Amino acid sequence: NYVIFGYNTSGIGSITQVLTTGVAYNITSDERVKNDLGVSTDTSVIDNLVIHDFEWKEDNRLDRGVFAQEAINVKPDAVTKGRTEDLGDDGLPENPWGVDYSKYVPDLIVYCQQLKKTIQELNATVTAQAAEIAALKAKVGA
């Protein structure tokens, strides 16, 4: 372990070495510290998240992402509020709002799972309809 983050006497995360070439950034995910509320199928976080193309004011670099002030309405735990009253001499916030994009990963996984399920259902429907069409063509001699 390179770094272990703790709260009181519990570990809440760590930065660890992976073999000789990697680093893992770990957040506690042990089932023993969670109350299971069921398997998630809700895709509303991704459905409601607004992604913007934008330009950074500091260096005019083009980028893409969310605006924290909007994202807080969709996934509050992914947003850290800044302070709007703290502006520097350049007019930019000294304490800007932030977003932890890693908080969206579980929602992206659920979204992909639901897309896969929908695709499988549609494929089954298309296959069944193709068989029905073939049977009807054979019946009429086409």
Side-chain angles (χ1 to χ4, degrees):
N1 286 331
Y2 291 125
V3 178
I4 297 175
F5 299 96
Y7 178 74
N8 290 333
T9 59
S10 298
I12 60 172
S14 63
I15 300 173
T16 57
Q17 181 174 339
V18 178
L19 302 173
T20 59
T21 59
V23 175
Y25 299 90
N26 308 296
I27 297 171
T28 299
S29 190
D30 191 312
E31 69 181 10
R32 297 171 297 172
V33 299
K34 299 175 179 183
N35 293 318
D36 187 3
L37 301 178
V39 175
S40 180
T41 58
D42 181 11
T43 61
S44 63
V45 168
I46 302 304
D47 288 333
N48 294 316
L49 200 58
V50 177
I51 305 297
H52 294 269
D53 288 324
F54 63 88
E55 178 180 87
W56 290 98
K57 291 181 179 180
E58 185 173 66
D59 60 6
N60 300 322
R61 186 173 31 96
L62 300 178
D63 212 340
R64 176 175 290 158
V66 300
F67 292 165
Q69 289 86 338
E70 293 175 354
I72 198 167
N73 297 319
V74 178
K75 190 158 182 75
D77 67 319
V79 176
T80 302
K81 289 183 181 180
R83 290 196 304 264
T84 55
E85 64 277 0
D86 296 338
L87 298 179
D89 294 337
D90 58 3
L92 298 175
E94 292 180 351
N95 213 340
W97 288 46
V99 171
D100 180 355
Y101 282 93
S102 71
K103 297 287 187 183
Y104 295 105
V105 171
D107 294 289
L108 289 168
I109 292 169
V110 168
Y111 204 86
C112 288
Q113 290 171 335
Q114 293 305 306
L115 285 174
K116 180 179 180 181
K117 181 180 175 185
T118 299
I119 290 168
Q120 288 171 332
E121 291 168 354
L122 290 172
N123 280 338
T125 300
V126 168
T127 300
Q129 289 176 342
E132 290 173 13
I133 291 168
L136 287 173
K137 284 182 175 181
K139 195 175 194 179
V140 295

